[in-house]
Amino acid sequence: MESEPVLDIRGLTVRLPAGADRLNAVEDVSLSVKRGEIVCIVGESGSGKSVTAFTVMGLLPRRVLVPTGGQVRLEGEDVLRASPQRLRELRGTRMAMIFQEPMTALNPVLTIGDQVDEVLRIHTKLNERERKAKVIDIMAAMRLPEPERLYQAYPHQISGGQRQRIMIAAALILDPALLIADEPTTALDVTTQAQILALIKDLQRRRGTGVLFITHDFGVVAEIADRVVVMQHGRVVEQGPTEEVLRRPQQPYTRMLIGSVPSLEPRPRAPVSGPVALETVGLAKIYGGGGFLRKERMVRAADNVNLHVRKGETLGIVGESGSGKTTVARCIARLIDPTRGAIRLKDAEIAALSQRRLRPYRRRIQVVFQDPFRSLNPRRTVGASIIEGPVNFGLPEAEAMERARSLMKLVGLSPDALTRYPHQFSGGQRQRIAIARALAMEPEVLIADEAVSALDVSVQAQVLDLLDDVKRRFDLAMLFITHDLRVAAQICDRIMVMEKGVVVEEGPTHQVFTAPRHPYTRALLEAAPGRSFGFGQAA
Amino acid sequence: MFLYFLRRLAATIPVMLIVAVLVFLMLRLTPGDPAAIIAGDNANAEQVALIRTRLGLDQPIIVQFFIWMGNLLRGDFGESFFFKKTVAELILGRLEPTIALALCTILIAVTVAVPLGVLAAYKQGTWIDRLVMGFSVMGFSVPVFVIGYALIYLFAIKLNWVPVQGYQPLSQGFGGFLQRLILPSVTLSVIYIALIARMTRASVIEVLGEDYIRTARAKGQVESKILFRHALKNAAVPIVTVIGLGVALLIGGVVVTESVFTIPGLGRLTVDAVLARDYPTIQAVILLFSLVYVLINLAVDLVYTLFDPRIRY
């Protein structure tokens, strides 16, 4: 029993439906997880890491993805040959799973206590009182405050980190031998992520759970893994102890992945001395407060924000969710109306202009959004999306198309792609298209709102280079909004750190990273996963 | 929540006022003279004028309106031109059959349609799904009176299980009451089954794609609990909306069904009153219907909060 692994996957192959870009989702995958061990599967999107996890749980979409070969042994029992009935018994008792998005992974209309209790109702014969005591117990073990009160709460009433703790509570309540964690901290803020990682590590050590941890983030791998399995295109590229794989990667693909992780060490940058292109003075966005007949809660999404960006300069706004960084960006682009304060575009004051008078200025500030899958209209060709703006501002269609063709070349895509639709492109290509669309308006200010956050590391590095390149080429003032300190270190000339709607620190990137003054900035830097590994310096 | 309820109730007052003005004006603008109908075919002009004076129809429209409104505010719906009764008595006497028919119909519709819709969603793309949806299209397409006569022919005339038509009040025994109510209710429910089943299917299919359904499976939950405990409650808001709409539309639907099955309810009363140009009765019935519409909408909004804790007023 001691020597037998908790999970032993041998030669697993899962077939994709006909017409997919390759034959198998995963092919000949072998890996194992021992008791009390954390094994990370790391890979980019499409590498088959999640399919592997779902196969173990028996949660593959029926008839779409079919395991065609190999064995998946959970404590010696082959789950590929288990009946649906037996699989249901195993889930929640011997193996459990937590997911990426704790907001959507919990049922919004059932109470939290009820959802943890559900596992006990399915798998045990305990009575109501015993079950409740057990649920409160595990919630306390997850270091959730006031478990008695939280028991009655609904998911929308608690924070993202607390929701993930609830997910973990439900997963571990029956002490499974195997915990599968599918990107469980990807949707969380860095400081919360650090807490959740520490919690998982602590629990698995004390309970001796074997953990299969899926992630795309090498920082997380460095923090938590005992062993690493690197996957690409459905195959295992390399596996071994964490130190070994991270310090001395054998395969070129692994080396490329590790080399693409942006370093926390900022590149040295000369201060930019061009004229100020964009400036805000006392900018604020306050929601609620003015309720008629009923009191509304007042939320200061952003308050007293003073910033300036010079031509040819990149200002990073860094912060966690709720810090107000995106609110500031949206106010500047006038996608939402600021409550007070000034926004100056060169010498023009645009904060209070009416929609009609604002129109000529719209062209001069352009935004690249986070999610390239949703920011392009799926029913229009790429070309139509790119030329829409310039044509609205009076450019003849033929000229706009000509401009679009040269921009496509600039962002590294073929001009022929203009006649195709967004779904025919990968995430990175779509983000290139979004950049081309913004540039087609010949803006003076480019706002990148988490523009590389949804991309794989290798693609992320390329898109960052592209953004840096177009900034220089067109002498743009760039406002770079991100939660990711590594990314900010690579591209920003200056950094502004926001917390709860206010700016807590501002300065040249190098200074903020090497000599942070505000405690919050220091907390953010300390929470960044994989600090000790010093990614990116070797590359 | 209670404040919200009071505010919504207060908001019904202007709605009812607007309805009152519109009904009053439209009736006066439609052709047909109640006095002439009451007087009969052989009456001369003087007799008709006399009746008109007695009914107050010789007054200017604006004066008639304020007399009516004044009486309404005192709770007096006036006297029927035609039925020799007060309008209030008339409506009260017709209330039971209509309420019974509407409740029975919606009960049948919901108990049949919701499970059907959930089943179709779960079996999406299979022959079961296609069967349910095929039935649903038929339910939409066949007119109520055709279904009504077909059911009468089959169950009343051929099989002789139930009476052909008519109504028996609840006070004369539940068996006979139900026996006469069942055919019209089934008839009327067909279209609502179609509507609600379709909505349930669409709504549940959407919810089944959500992450928390996967979470429930990862806990080892059985499929039936996943469908009815996790999915249906999340899918409830659009379904409740459609059921509310259904109840509101039902009030229109009873006019036809009550005629087909000769049930002496509000629907029949409306038809008779319109044919007789019985202004006070028509006005009162339409005001009552509008009030029910408004209250159903309010009820639907309040029911949302039962299903979704994120909705708070």
Side-chain angles (χ1 to χ4, degrees):
Chain A
M1 190 67 209
E2 198 55 40
S3 60
E4 186 172 39
V6 171
L7 175 70
D8 192 13
I9 302 176
R10 279 192 212 151
L12 175 68
T13 298
V14 177
R15 202 182 52 218
L16 278 171
D21 60 344
R22 60 179 195 245
L23 187 63
N24 293 317
V26 300
E27 207 166 297
D28 197 23
V29 165
S30 298
L31 61 92
S32 68
V33 181
K34 288 204 276 286
R35 229 182 99 75
E37 186 184 43
I38 300 182
V39 175
C40 273
I41 303 186
V42 49
E44 301 190 289
S45 40
S47 62
K49 55 189 195 300
S50 287
V51 171
T52 307
F54 284 111
T55 310
V56 176
M57 289 295 286
L59 289 175
L60 289 178
R62 269 177 296 174
R63 284 187 290 273
V64 181
L65 291 172
V66 189
T68 50
Q71 293 181 336
V72 176
R73 294 194 175 275
L74 178 74
E75 298 181 292
E77 180 177 353
D78 190 352
V79 296
L80 291 185
R81 275 151 199 84
S83 68
Q85 164 74 27
R86 178 65 187 150
L87 270 175
R88 272 202 299 273
E89 281 167 23
L90 289 173
R91 286 186 217 130
T93 57
R94 302 317 301 151
M95 56 181 174
M97 188 160 181
I98 55 175
F99 302 93
Q100 173 169 354
E101 194 55 77
M103 178 74 242
T104 56
L106 287 168
N107 191 329
V109 305
L110 302 176
T111 64
I112 283 156
D114 190 23
Q115 295 186 58
V116 180
D117 184 42
E118 188 176 18
V119 181
L120 298 180
R121 281 199 311 272
I122 299 167
H123 298 289
T124 72
K125 293 190 164 60
L126 300 175
N127 68 33
E128 202 177 324
R129 206 166 36 84
E130 293 164 328
R131 290 201 318 262
K132 176 145 189 193
K134 214 166 149 63
V135 172
I136 300 278
D137 258 8
I138 189 116
M139 282 168 72
M142 296 301 133
R143 288 172 227 141
L144 282 159
E146 300 178 72
E148 294 273 359
R149 195 182 53 81
L150 273 187
Y151 190 96
Q152 306 295 340
Y154 289 94
H156 69 278
Q157 296 167 324
I158 64 175
S159 72
Q162 287 176 334
R163 280 182 217 126
Q164 199 57 290
R165 281 165 201 269
I166 291 294
M167 287 295 295
I168 299 172
L172 294 185
I173 194 163
L174 288 176
D175 255 318
L178 176 71
L179 174 68
I180 299 177
D182 185 10
E183 305 257 10
T185 59
T186 306
L188 304 175
D189 287 326
V190 268
T191 48
T192 317
Q193 164 169 291
Q195 291 164 12
I196 296 288
L197 288 179
L199 179 73
I200 292 177
K201 214 166 170 172
D202 179 51
L203 287 169
Q204 68 87 29
R205 200 177 301 137
R206 262 194 279 162
R207 294 170 176 244
T209 318
V211 178
L212 187 66
F213 196 107
I214 318 284
T215 185
H216 69 282
D217 186 340
F218 272 97
V220 171
V221 174
E223 285 298 313
I224 200 167
D226 297 313
R227 282 194 306 116
V228 188
V229 178
V230 182
M231 287 185 72
Q232 182 195 18
H233 303 320
R235 289 174 167 277
V236 173
V237 176
E238 178 165 1
Q239 57 179 313
T242 307
E243 279 284 323
E244 198 65 27
V245 173
L246 291 193
R247 300 267 186 223
R248 287 172 291 281
Q250 301 299 311
Q251 296 299 318
Y253 178 70
T254 316
R255 247 174 278 156
M256 187 278 287
L257 275 186
I258 295 174
S260 305
V261 179
S263 168
L264 270 174
E265 293 273 310
R267 301 176 194 169
R269 284 170 182 269
V272 179
S273 56
V276 170
L278 171 77
E279 185 179 20
T280 72
V281 182
L283 187 68
K285 177 66 187 178
I286 293 160
Y287 290 99
F292 178 65
L293 280 184
R294 61 174 160 177
K295 260 204 189 137
E296 263 188 62
R297 206 161 60 100
M298 198 158 86
V299 179
R300 292 173 193 279
D303 205 0
N304 197 26
V305 175
N306 302 300
L307 63 80
H308 68 274
V309 196
R310 297 176 185 279
K311 262 174 98 75
E313 185 184 40
T314 302
L315 171 68
I317 304 183
V318 174
E320 300 189 292
S321 50
S323 64
K325 56 187 192 305
T326 294
T327 305
V328 170
R330 295 209 169 147
C331 281
I332 290 171
R334 283 293 307 269
L335 296 174
I336 52 178
D337 293 329
T339 311
R340 59 170 175 262
I343 302 168
R344 294 203 194 101
L345 195 59
K346 279 193 186 144
D347 291 319
E349 162 61 53
I350 62 162
L353 288 185
S354 67
Q355 286 299 330
R356 197 174 53 80
R357 307 239 335 255
L358 182 68
R359 222 177 101 83
Y361 296 98
R362 287 252 184 241
R363 185 189 64 73
R364 295 164 59 182
I365 304 181
Q366 290 296 309
V367 190
V368 178
F369 293 97
Q370 169 168 3
D371 194 337
F373 289 83
R374 286 189 293 188
S375 57
L376 288 167
N377 187 335
R379 306 247 186 276
R380 309 191 69 179
T381 62
V382 165
S385 284
I386 293 178
I387 67 167
E388 183 179 14
V391 169
N392 284 346
F393 279 89
L395 196 69
E397 216 174 299
E399 268 175 64
M401 214 46 171
E402 200 40 56
R403 187 187 289 177
R405 297 177 73 83
S406 65
L407 281 171
M408 287 297 270
K409 272 183 246 161
L410 183 84
V411 299
L413 294 170
S414 156
D416 304 335
L418 286 171
T419 55
R420 285 153 63 188
Y421 287 88
H423 72 265
Q424 296 169 293
F425 297 89
S426 70
Q429 289 172 327
R430 266 183 258 203
Q431 207 57 304
R432 287 170 191 273
I433 293 165
I435 293 169
R437 189 211 57 76
L439 292 177
M441 298 292 275
E442 301 184 325
E444 292 152 30
V445 176
L446 184 66
I447 300 177
D449 187 1
E450 299 276 10
V452 299
S453 302
L455 305 176
D456 287 324
V457 268
S458 58
V459 182
Q460 196 175 49
Q462 295 162 10
V463 174
L464 275 179
D465 284 344
L466 175 64
L467 280 171
D468 214 27
D469 179 52
V470 299
K471 179 200 74 175
R472 223 166 293 137
R473 201 184 287 234
F474 296 97
D475 209 14
L476 298 171
M478 186 149 79
L479 202 55
F480 194 91
I481 317 291
T482 186
H483 70 283
D484 189 334
L485 292 166
R486 293 179 180 280
V487 168
Q490 294 311 302
I491 195 169
C492 301
D493 296 303
R494 281 186 302 121
I495 299 254
M496 233 171 72
V497 181
M498 288 190 75
E499 183 194 16
K500 294 180 188 141
V502 292
V503 178
V504 297
E505 177 154 2
E506 202 234 305
T509 305
H510 194 74
Q511 183 192 316
V512 172
F513 273 79
T514 52
R517 280 163 307 170
H518 195 274
Y520 180 68
T521 313
R522 283 199 286 272
L524 274 185
L525 282 167
E526 265 154 42
R531 268 161 56 82
S532 52
F533 255 89
F535 288 106
Q537 279 139 341
Chain B
M1 175 94 167
F2 184 66
L3 265 178
Y4 170 83
F5 180 70
L6 287 186
R7 265 208 311 273
R8 286 283 302 264
L9 272 190
T12 59
I13 295 170
V15 173
M16 298 312 294
L17 265 178
I18 292 168
V19 172
V21 173
L22 283 180
V23 172
F24 192 87
L25 280 180
M26 283 203 324
L27 280 181
R28 264 57 181 186
L29 292 175
T30 43
D33 182 355
I37 293 171
I38 293 169
D41 290 343
N42 300 322
N44 58 34
E46 275 140 58
Q47 283 168 317
V48 173
L50 208 65
I51 293 171
R52 196 171 288 141
T53 314
R54 183 163 59 79
L55 297 177
L57 293 174
D58 55 342
Q59 309 263 11
I61 286 185
I62 188 90
V63 175
Q64 290 183 38
F65 180 74
F66 280 108
I67 291 174
W68 178 58
M69 281 305 289
N71 289 340
L72 259 189
L73 290 179
R74 277 183 275 112
D76 179 5
F77 288 89
E79 190 133 341
S80 164
F81 286 174
F82 194 76
F83 296 99
K84 317 275 184 272
K85 272 184 183 173
T86 68
V87 173
E89 275 174 345
L90 207 54
I91 288 178
L92 275 179
R94 302 295 191 97
L95 219 47
E96 186 195 291
T98 300
I99 291 177
L101 183 60
L103 280 184
C104 193
T105 302
I106 212 71
L107 212 68
I108 294 174
V110 172
T111 44
V112 174
V114 172
L116 268 188
V118 173
L119 182 74
Y122 182 57
K123 297 276 180 195
Q124 190 194 352
T126 65
W127 65 270
I128 296 180
D129 180 23
R130 281 195 288 275
L131 191 76
V132 172
M133 286 305 101
F135 168 78
S136 167
V137 170
M138 257 176 53
F140 277 124
S141 324
V142 183
V144 173
F145 68 89
V146 174
I147 298 173
Y149 284 126
L151 288 179
I152 288 177
Y153 178 76
L154 186 65
F155 291 103
I157 297 172
K158 283 285 161 196
L159 296 171
N160 217 0
W161 289 355
V162 289
V164 173
Q165 44 186 208
Y167 177 79
Q168 181 183 318
L170 188 54
S171 53
Q172 291 173 24
F174 187 72
F177 166 77
L178 198 65
Q179 214 182 19
R180 286 176 177 75
L181 201 59
I182 195 80
L183 266 200
S185 297
V186 169
T187 306
L188 204 48
S189 69
V190 169
I191 190 163
Y192 300 105
I193 292 175
L195 188 70
I196 297 169
R198 275 197 96 87
M199 197 53 175
T200 306
R201 175 182 178 272
S203 190
V204 169
I205 283 177
E206 202 180 310
V207 170
L208 283 179
E210 295 285 343
D211 287 353
Y212 49 79
I213 298 298
R214 187 181 60 188
T215 306
R217 291 208 173 102
K219 287 175 179 170
Q221 188 58 280
V222 294
E223 291 297 316
S224 63
K225 284 259 174 66
I226 287 173
L227 281 175
F228 286 95
R229 214 178 109 76
H230 286 276
L232 191 55
K233 203 176 172 202
N234 274 286
V237 165
I239 300 172
V240 168
T241 310
V242 166
I243 292 174
L245 272 175
V247 176
L249 289 172
L250 199 56
I251 297 169
V254 296
V255 173
V256 177
T257 318
E258 286 181 358
S259 302
V260 172
F261 289 95
T262 49
I263 294 170
L266 283 176
R268 278 289 299 280
L269 179 64
T270 313
V271 175
D272 293 344
V274 168
L275 290 178
R277 300 292 183 278
D278 188 354
Y279 292 168
T281 308
I282 302 172
Q283 287 161 2
V285 169
I286 291 179
L287 268 184
L288 180 70
F289 281 2
S290 330
L291 182 67
V292 172
Y293 268 64
V294 174
L295 292 183
I296 286 171
N297 267 313
L298 176 57
V300 166
D301 283 347
L302 294 180
V303 167
Y304 288 162
T305 62
L306 294 183
F307 290 102
D308 195 333
R310 289 167 297 183
I311 300 175
R312 282 277 165 270
Y313 300 115

